[in-house]
């Protein structure tokens, strides 16, 4: 399944977070960070994320915009049994296919619920766009699914994570992204010129600068990312020299909080 | 400044988070949640959020798409002194205006830095699109700015928050969104039908259902939002009755973690 890794091609992805609760501030999203970390480790380039409200036109527009643009789209949220769970209807409309009661999903729910407990609302969780392939839900049974290049997952973090880990081995990917972090008690503005020159000397790497204020001291973490470990190490070596030349002491990794 | 509140019109907004560190998983974003909560309290409807990488075309495209669509756009990130801080160049290109050295911003930086410390990299933080109005930065001096309906803020949460609180009193807004939360140890699937009927009976309110698994028990929080307190309270009363009719006990607020 990892043909892309062999060819060295970049595999791209977007995350689409569906849910009023994120936009109202009720809920602090943690799914994006989880997915971002996992994709970096797998070698999938997360290019964009969007948060949209529970409004059909918004969901449909975002799904169609993103699936045309990236290799993969991962959605979270809106596949439960209540009236505000409208993701599946919207995904079906986005793909222009009917919403069906998926036979396998129905069997899963029938096995999961006690007799008499599988009511109309819960049966909605067996509805998928026609042509969907189920994604297992080891936590609470009701499955997610894939249709085309769109993976539809739950919004509850534990469930979303279990779904993603189930599909992760099946995803195409490029070379995993590796990174090295160097910290120093140095002003970003002091090192900016040299850091820009270092970035220019290593165009195949991505060098980020993240300022902080910890334990009453200013400093910054510099993160070097790429797919070639030896290039990363070479750039890190030059970064150490640069920091020392400016009178500060480089530390491998993050400075303590 | 709050003409919109008087007329009862809805004031809309989007948040644009600029930064590779969110998409790589290095950083857990907390700015969206802060802004979402504050906008709800102020009476500004946050309709959408996007996270884009440090790539000019991505930033420019998102800024132009969002500013045409919403009353306000709030951006976070990318206005520091290092090579990966490219927000201001991109905002200028999005508006089709030159990037200038803002005279007031320059004065602020000159006052802030010790003599000899205001180097070329730091001077970049005085660059804004032509026509920008500065936003004060009480934490670390280098200002944000507004151009048109786009507010450009820092990515470091403490700085972003201090900038937003400075501009908050100047923003137009509608009626603040009020909400009431009712929790119960009840399956979402058990209450879904009645909850859908309650939502249909109160189309002016937004009733959300958020399942949880805490202290080894399943349950859900139901959040009723709207601008009219008496309608919210009436719906909450009916929700209490609904929960009791299904054999569970409603609790005002979130059930304990």
């Amino acid at each position: 399944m990892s043909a892309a890794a062999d060819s060295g091609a970049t595999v791209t992805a977007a995350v689409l977070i569906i849910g009023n609760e994120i936009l109202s501030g009720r809920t602090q999203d943690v799914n994006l960070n989880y997915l971002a970390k996992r994709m970096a480790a797998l070698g999938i380039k997360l290019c964009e994320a969007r948060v949209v409200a529970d409004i059909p036109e918004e969901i449909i527009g975002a799904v169609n915009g993103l699936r045309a643009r990236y290799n993969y789209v991962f959605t979270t949220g809106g596949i439960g049994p209540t009236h505000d769970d409208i993701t599946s209807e919207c995904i079906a409309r986005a793909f222009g296919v009917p919403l069906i009661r998926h036979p396998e999903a129905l069997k899963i729910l029938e096995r999961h619920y006690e007799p008499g407990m599988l009511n109309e609302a819960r049966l909605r969780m067996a509805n998928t766009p026609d042509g969907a392939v189920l994604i297992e839900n080891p936590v609470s049974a009701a499955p997610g699914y894939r249709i085309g290049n769109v993976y539809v997952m739950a919004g509850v973090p534990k469930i979303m994570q279990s779904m993603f880990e189930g599909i992760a081995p099946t995803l195409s990917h490029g070379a995993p992204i590796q990174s090295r972090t160097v910290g120093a008690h140095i002003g970003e503005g002091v090192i900016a010129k040299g850091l820009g020159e270092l970035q220019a000397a290593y165009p195949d790497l991505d060098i980020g600068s993240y300022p902080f204020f910890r334990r009453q001291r200013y400093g910054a973490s510099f993160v070097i990312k790429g797919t070639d470990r030896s290039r990363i190490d070479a750039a890190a070596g030059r970064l150490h020299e640069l920091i020392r030349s400016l009178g500060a002491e480089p530390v491998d990794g993050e400075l303590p909080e």
Side-chain angles (χ1 to χ4, degrees), chain A residues 16-34:
Chain A
L16 177 61
I17 297 163
I18 299 166
N20 290 348
E21 70 275 22
I22 308 295
L23 294 170
S24 73
R26 178 184 182 275
T27 303
Q28 163 70 57
D29 170 70
V30 293
N31 287 334
L32 174 58
N33 189 252
Y34 183 89

Side-chain angles (χ1 to χ4, degrees), chain A residues 2-249:
Chain A
S2 301
D6 300 329
S7 72
T10 300
V11 176
T12 61
V15 168
L16 177 61
I17 297 163
I18 299 166
N20 290 348
E21 70 275 22
I22 308 295
L23 294 170
S24 73
R26 178 184 182 275
T27 303
Q28 163 70 57
D29 170 70
V30 293
N31 287 334
L32 174 58
N33 189 252
Y34 183 89
L35 290 170
K37 281 182 175 152
R38 291 291 291 121
M39 282 189 224
L42 289 167
I44 296 171
K45 189 174 173 63
L46 177 58
C47 297
E48 181 176 347
R50 295 197 195 180
V51 187
V52 295
D54 300 331
I55 298 172
E57 292 68 30
E58 298 297 318
I59 299 170
I60 294 166
V63 167
N64 280 338
L66 296 173
R67 74 186 173 100
R69 197 157 177 213
Y70 303 107
N71 295 120
Y72 293 124
V73 178
F74 299 92
T75 80
T76 67
I79 60 170
T82 54
H83 64 277
D84 53 343
D85 290 306
I86 61 170
T87 296
S88 292
E89 293 94 303
C90 296
I91 302 277
R93 285 175 60 190
F95 278 84
V97 299
L99 189 72
I100 63 156
R101 184 138 298 168
H102 195 289
E104 274 180 72
L106 179 60
K107 277 185 201 160
I108 290 168
L109 296 181
E110 284 172 344
R111 277 198 300 270
H112 180 72
Y113 287 102
E114 304 284 319
M117 296 303 285
L118 186 55
N119 58 22
E120 258 317 304
R122 284 175 169 148
L123 279 169
R124 286 185 67 222
M125 295 192 288
N127 294 350
T128 71
D130 198 5
V133 177
L134 299 186
I135 297 174
E136 196 187 356
N137 171 356
V139 176
S140 57
Y145 54 85
R146 173 183 71 76
I147 176 165
N149 60 342
V150 179
Y151 291 75
V152 177
M153 303 187 292
V156 176
K158 272 185 202 168
I159 304 176
M160 190 284 294
Q161 292 168 19
S162 71
M163 287 180 171
F164 184 79
E165 295 311 327
I167 59 178
T170 72
L171 299 171
S172 295
H173 58 84
I177 306 297
Q178 303 192 57
S179 81
R180 209 171 135 177
T181 298
V182 177
H185 287 112
I186 190 168
E188 265 199 310
V190 173
I191 199 173
K193 182 163 174 284
L195 199 68
E197 289 164 0
L198 186 63
Q199 172 70 80
Y202 290 83
D204 53 321
L205 304 179
D206 176 36
I207 304 178
S209 172
Y210 306 106
F212 61 74
F213 183 68
R214 291 177 195 153
R215 302 186 175 192
Q216 306 301 314
R217 291 182 76 184
Y218 280 98
S221 296
F222 308 103
V223 181
I224 307 170
K225 288 181 181 285
T227 54
D228 182 336
R229 189 78 224 173
S230 62
R231 293 281 292 170
I232 293 171
D233 289 341
R238 282 191 44 185
L239 179 55
H240 274 241
E241 290 168 15
L242 172 63
I243 291 168
R244 285 209 184 90
S245 77
L246 295 166
E249 187 55 32

